[in-house]
Amino acid sequence: MDKRSVGIKKILIDCVRFWYLLVLFMILGTLGGWRAGIAYNKNVDKQWAEAEEKKAKEEEAAIELTKDDVEEVTFTKAQCEKKLSKDAMADVLEAYGWYQDRSRRREYLESSPYMKLDPYDFTSTYLQFRVVYEGESWSEKNFNSYIHGLKNYVIYNGMVDEFYPNDITAARNLSELVSISDGGKDKYDDLLLITVMKAPETEGMVDRIRNSFIAYGDKMAETYPGYKVEFMSQYQANYYNGGLNSSIETHRGNISSDGTKIEAAMKKFSSMQQAYYNMLVNGTEKETIEEVVLPGVAAKKTAAKEEEEVLPTKKRLWIMTSLGAAAGGVLAVLVLFLANLLSGRLLFRKDLQNLYGIRSCGIVRERNKKGISGMLQRAEFPDAEDAEEPAIYYLQLREAMKAADCKEAVLVGTGSLDGLKSVDSLVTMAKKDGITLSVEEGFPGELASAETVLEKGTVLLVERMHKSRLSEIDKVVHFCRENNVKIIGAVGADL
């Protein structure tokens, strides 16, 4: 008695029936999860910012603790050269030599047009020439001298000096981009190949180089009659220049090595040596050096590692919104559960039996709904009978009346029974078996209806599912039991 149970199936049916409530709670949950995610991430950002600020302050304090107390001491060049020993002076000069080598290498890398080329996208134009002899008496000595002179014309800047007679830098840059070779290995060959590397400095220079080389060959023919230079072919190629790449890497490695050697030497220098080195580098006559008066205190490393503060990480908003939606859905289901559990209406077939101990004769379906509503109706009350012919439930009613040894009963309900097909059907079917069923609409509110019920002494409850209020049913049940009116059963009408 006084126990009400809520079935899972009824909750699932209500989830479909009140889908809009489920969607509303999920939307609210999604918004709540999104807002909570943003607030959480802002809080995480704040904690990280505070942690970074704290760490920066600790590091700053540690740095200040390790700093040395220093004072400035000024040295002159004459003072250093007088007081430094030969070995100390030699060490400084050696370090200064590394500095000069490093400066020259860096300057060459930055200024050389050849070193600026891309070794992985290297393009050159090749000019092929042949040395022809048209004289009567060929001499190997003259041939070698003629070839040697042509090569020197290219190698030792004779040609580029003609192009830039008043610009030494431009001539030097161009000379790096033009080279010559002959086909011989152990001796000179009559085939000569001039290579012109593609660069801004050689733009438009190929024809000038070809013409100048031929003209110089003609000029040398004045000294070596019968010889001349003939142009054979010109072609261009793009390739990977491993030699250039190796050269660049070598220069970079040497610059780094020089810097390492200078840094190592400086660590061993005395204050006077450092001052003298700075004078050589800066070209000054005096330098001021900081000398340590009181060394800083270095933090001691402990064997055990300090535990780092574990800071939270940000949450992904899509995860937070998904959790919020899920929580909203669960909350909606919980609301439906509580609504069923705490509802003051007649919801379940077993309510009358569990709450009042009244035998349930079953559910009759007053009308068959269609679509999703019909599907939910059949799912909620799968064993409900049609109101026009509730055979099984009438048999239960008849057997209950036989057991109570009565031929008359009153059909009562807390709501109006007018228009219920199931009531008309029960009255008609009972009449055929000699059982008299009457209907009292006003019970228990009207005196006449109450007197009729008291006179008959037997009632059958007909209540509307989802409509009848339990508080009203309480009044009917209480009245009947207080006045010895037997309630032989109850029928639920599904509208």
Side-chain angles (χ1 to χ4, degrees):
M1 301 286 282
D2 295 333
K3 292 182 180 180
R4 193 178 202 185
S5 59
V6 179
I8 295 177
K9 184 175 75 171
K10 177 62 166 61
I11 299 301
L12 295 177
I13 291 172
D14 282 352
C15 286
V16 179
R17 180 175 289 153
F18 302 106
W19 61 269
Y20 50 86
L21 181 65
L22 192 66
V23 171
L24 175 62
F25 272 76
M26 291 182 71
I27 291 175
L28 293 176
T30 300
L31 293 176
W34 180 70
R35 291 291 300 273
I38 291 178
Y40 180 85
N41 289 342
K42 285 184 178 179
N43 185 51
V44 170
D45 288 337
K46 182 180 179 182
Q47 292 185 47
W48 276 96
E50 291 175 350
E52 289 295 330
E53 184 179 357
K54 179 182 177 182
K55 183 179 179 180
K57 289 182 178 179
E58 291 176 350
E59 290 177 352
E60 186 178 350
I63 291 173
E64 289 295 327
L65 188 64
T66 58
K67 285 183 178 179
D68 299 330
D69 289 338
V70 297
E71 65 177 8
E72 294 183 347
V73 180
T74 301
F75 298 93
T76 63
K77 196 170 186 179
Q79 180 185 5
C80 293
E81 291 174 345
K82 181 179 180 181
K83 292 187 177 182
L84 285 175
S85 64
K86 290 184 178 180
D87 290 339
M89 180 70 74
D91 290 340
V92 174
L93 294 176
E94 184 178 29
Y96 181 59
W98 294 332
Y99 168 80
Q100 289 178 313
D101 291 341
R102 187 165 180 253
S103 299
R104 283 191 294 268
R105 289 190 177 103
R106 180 179 284 116
E107 182 182 359
Y108 178 62
L109 270 181
E110 293 174 353
S111 61
S112 170
Y114 177 66
M115 289 295 178
K116 292 179 182 179
L117 297 179
D118 184 359
Y120 296 95
D121 187 18
F122 196 88
T123 302
S124 293
T125 300
Y126 296 93
L127 303 175
Q128 191 173 26
F129 302 89
R130 179 185 292 277
V131 175
V132 178
Y133 179 70
E134 297 177 344
E136 297 178 355
S137 177
W138 182 85
S139 167
E140 183 177 358
K141 179 180 179 182
N142 289 343
F143 172 77
N144 290 339
S145 297
Y146 187 78
I147 299 295
H148 185 73
L150 290 174
K151 294 182 69 175
N152 285 347
Y153 176 65
V154 176
I155 294 172
Y156 295 107
N157 300 348
M159 181 172 61
V160 297
D161 286 341
E162 290 179 3
F163 295 155
Y164 300 106
N166 300 317
D167 192 339
I168 298 176
T169 301
R172 183 189 63 188
N173 291 341
L174 182 60
S175 68
E176 288 190 342
L177 303 172
V178 180
S179 63
I180 186 170
S181 62
D182 67 316
K185 293 183 179 179
D186 300 326
K187 59 181 181 178
Y188 285 134
D189 188 79
D190 60 349
L191 290 178
L192 297 174
L193 185 69
I194 293 180
T195 302
V196 182
M197 305 169 197
K198 185 178 181 180
E201 289 79 3
T202 60
E203 188 72 29
M205 297 294 294
V206 174
D207 292 341
R208 291 184 65 186
I209 292 172
R210 181 182 65 245
N211 297 333
S212 177
F213 188 71
I214 294 174
Y216 188 74
D218 294 340
K219 182 178 180 181
M220 285 191 63
E222 296 176 0
T223 305
Y224 304 99
Y227 289 95
K228 72 173 183 177
V229 176
E230 288 185 352
F231 176 69
M232 295 180 64
S233 64
Q234 174 180 327
Y235 62 92
Q236 191 178 78
N238 179 272
Y239 56 95
Y240 165 69
N241 191 329
L244 172 60
N245 190 52
S246 177
S247 181
I248 293 174
E249 293 300 324
T250 299
H251 276 78
R252 289 175 178 171
N254 289 335
I255 290 172
S256 176
S257 177
D258 289 340
T260 302
K261 290 187 288 187
I262 293 171
E263 184 179 353
M266 291 289 288
K267 290 180 179 180
K268 298 178 182 180
F269 282 175
S270 65
S271 299
M272 185 174 288
Q273 284 177 302
Q274 291 181 22
Y276 189 61
Y277 174 83
N278 291 344
M279 292 178 206
L280 294 176
V281 171
N282 299 328
T284 56
E285 293 297 322
K286 65 178 180 179
E287 287 286 337
T288 299
I289 299 295
E290 292 183 344
E291 286 189 343
V292 178
V293 177
L294 181 65
V297 180
K300 294 182 179 180
K301 294 182 179 180
T302 57
K305 294 182 179 179
E306 297 182 2
E307 293 187 5
E308 294 184 359
E309 182 182 0
V310 179
L311 296 174
T313 57
K314 288 186 176 182
K315 302 294 184 182
R316 295 184 178 179
L317 289 181
W318 70 267
I319 294 179
M320 297 298 291
T321 53
S322 299
L323 291 175
V330 171
L331 182 60
V333 173
L334 181 61
V335 169
L336 292 174
F337 171 79
L338 294 176
N340 279 275
L341 184 65
L342 304 177
S343 175
R345 297 181 183 275
L346 181 64
L347 300 178
F348 307 99
R349 175 179 174 178
K350 294 182 179 181
D351 275 352
L352 294 172
Q353 184 175 345
N354 292 343
L355 296 176
Y356 306 109
I358 300 174
R359 177 182 178 180
S360 174
C361 295
I363 306 294
V364 290
R365 188 172 293 118
E366 287 293 326
R367 63 187 181 92
N368 291 312
K369 299 177 182 178
K370 297 180 180 180
I372 296 178
S373 298
M375 180 188 69
L376 298 177
Q377 182 187 44
R378 291 187 293 273
E380 186 173 5
F381 303 115
D383 55 352
E385 280 196 293
D386 191 79
E388 294 182 355
E389 194 175 355
I392 299 299
Y393 300 134
Y394 168 70
L395 290 177
Q396 293 189 56
L397 171 63
R398 188 184 68 183
E399 293 306 312
M401 293 189 68
K402 285 183 180 181
D405 193 24
C406 63
K407 290 289 185 177
E408 291 182 329
V410 182
L411 298 177
V412 299
T414 57
S416 174
L417 304 182
D418 185 30
L420 294 181
K421 292 184 288 185
S422 57
V423 172
D424 296 337
S425 298
L426 289 174
V427 171
T428 301
M429 295 172 73
K431 188 175 183 180
K432 293 179 181 180
D433 290 330
I435 299 174
T436 303
L437 295 178
S438 58
V439 180
E440 289 295 336
E441 288 279 352
F443 180 79
E446 295 182 4
L447 179 60
S449 296
E451 288 179 350
T452 301
V453 169
L454 292 173
E455 180 183 347
K456 301 294 183 180
T458 304
V459 298
L460 172 67
L461 289 179
V462 180
E463 297 294 344
R464 301 178 180 225
M465 303 304 294
H466 300 289
K467 300 290 183 181
S468 297
R469 293 187 175 276
L470 297 179
S471 59
E472 297 297 325
I473 297 175
D474 282 339
K475 294 179 183 179
V476 173
V477 174
H478 181 73
F479 178 87
C480 292
R481 288 177 176 168
E482 287 293 322
N483 295 282
N484 296 321
V485 176
K486 185 180 296 183
I487 303 176
I488 61 173
V491 175
D494 179 22
L495 305 177

